[in-house]
Amino acid sequence: MGLLILALSAPSFCEVEEDFEDAEIVDEEMADMANEEPAMEDLKVPLREKPVYKTPEVKGNYFFVDTFDDAAAIGKTWKLSTARKDDTDENIAKYDGLWVIEEPEESSLQGDKGLVLKSRAKHHAISAFLKKPYTFEGKPFVVQYEVKFQSGQECGGAYVKLLSQKANQKLEEFFDKTPYTIMFGPDKCGNDNKLHFIFRHMSPVTGKFEEKHAKKPTADIAGFFTDKKSHLFTLVINPDQTFEVFVDQDMVNSGSLLEDMTPAVNPPKEIVDPDDKKPADWDDREKIPDPEAAKPEDWDESEPEMIPDEDAVIPEGWLEDEPELIPDPDAEKPADWDEDMDGEWEAPMISNPICESAPGCGTWERPTIKNPKYVGKWRPPMIENPDYKGKWRPRTIDNPEYFEDKNPYKMNAIGAIGLELWSMSDNIMFDNFIITDDKSVADAFAADSWELKHIHELQSASGGWLYYLYESANE
């Protein structure tokens, strides 16, 4: 803290007038100022003017980029879905949620725009073709974009789907069952906060696709849904079968496509035989009741476990003739009480005030104690089962659907990017999408876009101090 105060003391000296007539007065006033520790609230750091937005440039190879500078991109680059959601009530099956391109409600950069999901409790679907398809041919796959939950998030997603390439693909037909290669991004409902990374993997034996889900991130991501700031989400899939997930350039998840996905990419070599059944005569009881044991003749099961304590006496001062509860003498029948409709009115019951100073009121009952004659229900003792065969387990057989894919990185080519979402919150802003094969290209793109927003959001939240310190550190 001492270092911070030292750094912030300089502005107070700048307030000294430059042209005092008496040099001795100047020396005295500066000495006084040096001896006084300035209060934080007295130090004024003016908020910097918001910089004017400038379109970030992609410095390297890319497959898709959109900064939403073109307000008419919806209908040109981005196509609205006219399909209907499958397996949903007809009244809500349409993708009729509104999308617009506009500036955020609280802008960090003058003139910056983004794609905004505007409707609550509606299905939304919009998609765009990549500039060129991405094929997994030995380079990293990198997808990165920004999300800003301007109204917070109650329940709903803000993830992207990287749609599998196919011939004659029509974006207007994009819906929940459209095949995708990768799904990535934040999702929340109630206290369940998720950051999805899912890829679809095809079995070479059956030809069927199965979703593979990454393990949960290590970081606490709850605040990203509520702080109403721009957050940067980045996924990297490497040709060495590893993946990395970043939020705001901090790694929050990483692992192996072969070891850290559920269910596993490669199925087990052996499986339980579904047709194997336990034999009817299989006895898997380790112990059994002794068939030769007999209940002792003096075993009396009729004795209760607890009996009244015959030695107990009623406490002195116990008021047996006083009830514990009495009608409230101060209660009055409501003026609108209708006995025909409501029945006969009775005052509510309250604790009897006479009982407050007594050990008790009402009928006294003896406390109960353990019955020394109690033995309980007789059961024969347990002995080793002579017919015990052990715990039965079905046999295992070779898995007819077994395969080994050592290169799950080699996923289906990606031809388009889509947002297919339902949300209970509105005004979710998406911005600065980029798909590339080089993390450094995505980093440079973020430095010219998200980082500028991030700095000015920190400035606004701190009254300018964080930005002041950030600028000072870089000078």
Side-chain angles (χ1 to χ4, degrees):
M1 186 64 183
L3 181 59
L4 174 64
I5 291 174
L6 180 62
L8 300 180
S9 296
S12 64
F13 287 99
C14 296
E15 295 172 3
V16 178
E17 297 184 9
E18 297 178 356
D19 53 353
F20 282 105
E21 295 181 359
D22 191 335
E24 186 176 341
I25 296 176
V26 174
D27 290 341
E28 290 176 358
E29 294 213 0
M30 291 189 68
D32 290 340
M33 294 172 67
N35 291 327
E36 294 178 0
E37 184 175 293
M40 185 67 77
E41 60 268 18
D42 294 334
L43 297 172
K44 306 296 183 182
V45 177
L47 290 175
R48 303 297 177 94
E49 183 178 350
K50 292 179 184 177
V52 176
Y53 167 76
K54 181 181 178 182
T55 304
E57 295 182 9
V58 181
K59 300 167 185 175
N61 187 43
Y62 69 94
F63 298 81
F64 181 82
V65 68
D66 203 334
T67 57
F68 300 101
D69 295 351
D70 182 4
I74 298 176
K76 293 194 302 184
T77 305
W78 292 85
K79 301 293 185 181
L80 294 170
S81 174
T82 58
R84 304 179 81 84
K85 190 174 177 69
D86 203 10
D87 301 327
T88 304
D89 187 277
E90 185 67 19
N91 296 327
I92 59 173
K94 291 194 303 182
Y95 289 101
D96 55 355
L98 178 64
W99 295 93
V100 300
I101 294 175
E102 64 183 13
E103 293 192 31
E105 294 175 348
E106 294 185 11
S107 177
S108 299
L109 304 175
Q110 297 182 52
D112 187 24
K113 298 184 181 70
L115 176 66
V116 183
L117 178 152
K118 296 293 289 185
S119 307
R120 297 179 73 253
K122 287 184 177 291
H123 294 290
H124 303 70
I126 193 169
S127 56
F129 284 118
L130 272 56
K131 182 183 77 166
K132 53 185 176 182
Y134 182 94
T135 54
F136 293 83
E137 296 179 344
K139 289 188 175 182
F141 171 80
V142 183
V143 58
Q144 179 173 279
Y145 68 107
E146 298 172 22
V147 179
K148 185 175 185 177
F149 295 101
Q150 299 183 95
S151 303
Q153 178 59 293
E154 298 175 21
C155 186
Y159 44 80
V160 297
K161 290 183 176 180
L162 289 310
L163 306 183
S164 303
Q165 183 187 19
K166 71 173 185 178
N168 302 317
Q169 190 167 17
K170 296 180 180 179
L171 298 182
E172 293 82 357
E173 298 175 357
F174 174 43
F175 76 132
D176 60 318
K177 299 295 172 57
T178 300
Y180 67 86
T181 298
I182 294 167
M183 189 174 108
F184 169 65
D187 192 12
K188 169 186 171 71
C189 202
N191 294 323
D192 189 10
N193 305 300
K194 296 179 180 179
L195 181 51
H196 295 294
F197 164 40
I198 305 170
F199 72 91
R200 294 173 72 247
H201 182 268
M202 188 187 75
S203 164
V205 176
T206 65
K208 295 179 180 178
F209 282 88
E210 187 175 49
E211 292 183 347
K212 310 297 180 180
H213 295 247
K215 62 183 182 180
K216 290 185 177 182
T218 55
D220 182 4
I221 63 173
F224 303 150
F225 297 96
T226 58
D227 63 9
K228 302 181 181 180
K229 291 181 171 58
S230 301
H231 291 287
L232 185 72
F233 295 89
T234 310
L235 168 67
V236 181
I237 301 175
N238 296 301
D240 65 356
Q241 318 308 319
T242 62
F243 69 88
E244 299 166 308
V245 177
F246 300 83
V247 180
D248 297 345
Q249 298 293 48
D250 293 325
M251 185 183 294
V252 298
N253 202 359
S254 64
S256 165
L257 299 177
L258 288 166
E259 299 173 2
D260 296 304
M261 308 300 292
T262 304
V265 167
N266 294 313
K269 289 184 177 181
E270 294 184 331
I271 60 171
V272 171
D273 184 354
D275 298 323
D276 191 18
K277 307 297 181 185
K278 183 170 73 170
D281 61 349
W282 188 281
D283 194 340
D284 55 7
R285 297 173 299 162
E286 291 187 42
K287 293 182 179 293
I288 60 171
D290 184 352
E292 298 181 2
K295 183 170 72 171
E297 292 183 1
D298 61 349
W299 192 283
D300 188 356
E301 296 184 358
S302 65
E303 286 287 343
E305 183 177 2
M306 306 295 291
I307 58 174
D309 184 359
E310 296 298 334
D311 295 329
V313 295
I314 185 169
E316 185 178 352
W318 188 282
L319 305 176
E320 287 192 276
D321 296 331
E322 288 290 341
E324 292 186 69
L325 299 173
I326 62 170
D328 185 354
D330 297 325
E332 296 181 359
K333 183 171 70 173
D336 59 350
W337 188 273
D338 186 339
E339 293 197 357
D340 293 334
M341 296 291 293
D342 304 320
E344 183 179 355
W345 180 81
E346 295 180 355
M349 304 298 282
I350 62 171
S351 297
N352 188 343
I354 297 176
C355 299
E356 292 179 1
S357 58
C361 286
T363 303
W364 178 78
E365 295 180 355
R366 296 178 185 276
T368 58
I369 59 173
K370 273 276 188 181
N371 182 358
K373 297 179 181 180
Y374 173 75
V375 291
K377 184 176 178 61
W378 182 84
R379 292 181 176 84
M382 303 297 287
I383 62 171
E384 298 290 334
N385 182 2
D387 297 324
Y388 176 63
K389 295 184 177 180
K391 296 297 182 183
W392 183 85
R393 292 181 178 84
R395 65 174 174 266
T396 58
I397 59 173
D398 290 339
N399 185 355
E401 297 182 359
Y402 172 74
F403 62 86
E404 184 177 20
D405 181 356
K406 295 183 178 180
N407 189 22
Y409 154 84
K410 188 73 174 176
M411 302 179 191
N412 279 5
I414 296 170
I417 183 171
L419 298 165
E420 190 265 320
L421 305 168
W422 180 89
S423 174
M424 284 302 296
S425 301
D426 55 10
N427 289 317
I428 303 174
M429 171 169 277
F430 299 84
D431 202 3
N432 295 320
F433 286 93
I434 183 170
I435 297 175
T436 177
D437 55 12
D438 187 339
K439 177 68 162 55
S440 65
V441 172
D443 290 342
F445 188 71
D448 292 339
S449 52
W450 173 79
E451 285 188 15
L452 299 178
K453 296 180 189 179
H454 182 58
I455 291 168
H456 286 274
E457 285 175 345
L458 291 177
Q459 176 194 13
S460 298
S462 65
W465 277 110
L466 287 178
Y467 183 75
Y468 175 80
L469 294 174
Y470 175 85
E471 289 287 278
S472 300
N474 288 319
E475 288 178 358

